[in-house]
Amino acid sequence: MSAGPAGQPVQQALVDAWTARFGDEITTEETFGGLAVGVPHEHWLDALTFARDDLSCGFFDWLTGVDELDEGFAVVVHVYSLERRHHLLVRTRVSKSAPVLPTATGVYRGAEWHERETSEMFGVLFEGHPNLVPLLLPDGFEGHPLRKDFVLAARVAKAWPGAKEPGESGHGAPSRRRVRPPGVPDEGAWGAAAERAGRTERTGRRSEPSAGSEGPEGEATDA
């Protein structure tokens, strides 16, 4: 957006426009070249339509989600005005117990692909989407990988590569308390499995029998 009356800065002109339309129901935060606007989920489509029609933000850039833990999931859209050259981040939040939003594809057609990805990665349901099917993950995949409570199974099945902690390589300085890699909870079955995997790696319990060791019947094996 170009400067408002009497040289009014771009951000302030945007703030005034949003406030005049939605009042105290929104929050605003200045960003470089534009504005970030938080809206209640019930005004999601109205806000996007306002950005497109009243603020000339006809260029849809991206839509994604953010896991905000107990506060739920944030859904964020970035749009841009080619005529007035200002950016807008429009964001809302849905609860984890009911992560549902109406689809934005009726306002911005480009949102179709992004909503599929966000639904797949975060579990947000976009009601009215014309084809809300998996996009990136293999068939039969369970869970939503970008949720912060999603366990990275690879960190359990295989220990973190390299000797990142003193003593992990089997020589050198004494080992201190093992730090679990990212994605493995501290407690529960997954955490216990990671701890066992780490002990197995350090003690070499999975190594092949050495030459001259006894076989299963007590006979010596050949080298």
Side-chain angles (χ1 to χ4, degrees):
M1 179 179 288
S2 59
Q8 189 179 33
V10 171
Q11 285 88 343
Q12 188 57 52
L14 289 171
V15 170
D16 291 346
W18 281 98
T19 303
R21 173 64 177 81
F22 293 97
D24 295 336
E25 293 186 271
I26 61 153
T27 61
T28 60
E29 179 183 355
E30 292 187 4
T31 63
F32 181 77
L35 191 72
V37 183
V39 301
H41 63 85
E42 59 267 24
H43 294 323
W44 180 238
L45 294 187
D46 288 341
L48 295 180
T49 303
F50 176 71
R52 183 193 65 184
D53 296 345
D54 292 67
L55 302 179
S56 302
C57 292
F59 181 83
F60 174 88
D61 190 9
W62 49 259
L63 176 151
T64 192
V66 181
D67 187 346
E68 297 186 338
L69 299 175
D70 292 340
E71 296 183 5
F73 299 108
V75 177
V76 187
V77 163
H78 176 238
V79 292
Y80 179 69
S81 172
L82 296 171
E83 297 88 353
R84 302 177 181 178
R85 299 187 178 183
H86 60 252
H87 298 263
L88 275 176
L89 286 175
V90 185
R91 58 196 181 196
T92 192
R93 182 180 291 121
V94 293
S95 67
K96 285 202 168 181
S97 60
V100 180
L101 270 181
T103 180
T105 53
V107 183
Y108 293 106
R109 291 181 61 187
E112 181 175 351
W113 186 95
H114 298 259
E115 288 184 345
R116 286 175 62 189
E117 181 188 41
T118 302
S119 178
E120 191 172 29
M121 295 297 172
F122 293 94
V124 177
L125 175 64
F126 294 94
E127 289 187 326
H129 191 284
N131 189 34
L132 199 63
V133 297
L135 178 69
L136 302 174
L137 298 174
D139 292 341
F141 189 94
E142 296 183 1
H144 306 287
L146 292 187
R147 288 190 176 190
K148 291 181 179 178
D149 58 1
F150 183 81
V151 175
L152 299 178
R155 296 293 180 259
V156 177
K158 182 177 180 180
W160 191 258
K164 301 297 184 182
E165 299 292 330
E168 283 190 353
S169 60
H171 54 77
S175 176
R176 64 187 182 189
R177 182 179 65 85
R178 185 172 183 268
V179 179
R180 292 190 179 93
V184 178
D186 290 337
E187 299 178 355
W190 285 98
E195 193 67 39
R196 289 195 299 272
R199 289 199 300 269
T200 298
E201 182 180 348
R202 290 195 297 273
T203 58
R205 292 176 184 172
R206 292 182 180 176
S207 60
E208 295 296 330
S210 58
S213 63
E214 290 188 351
E217 300 299 330
E219 297 177 342
T221 58
D222 294 332

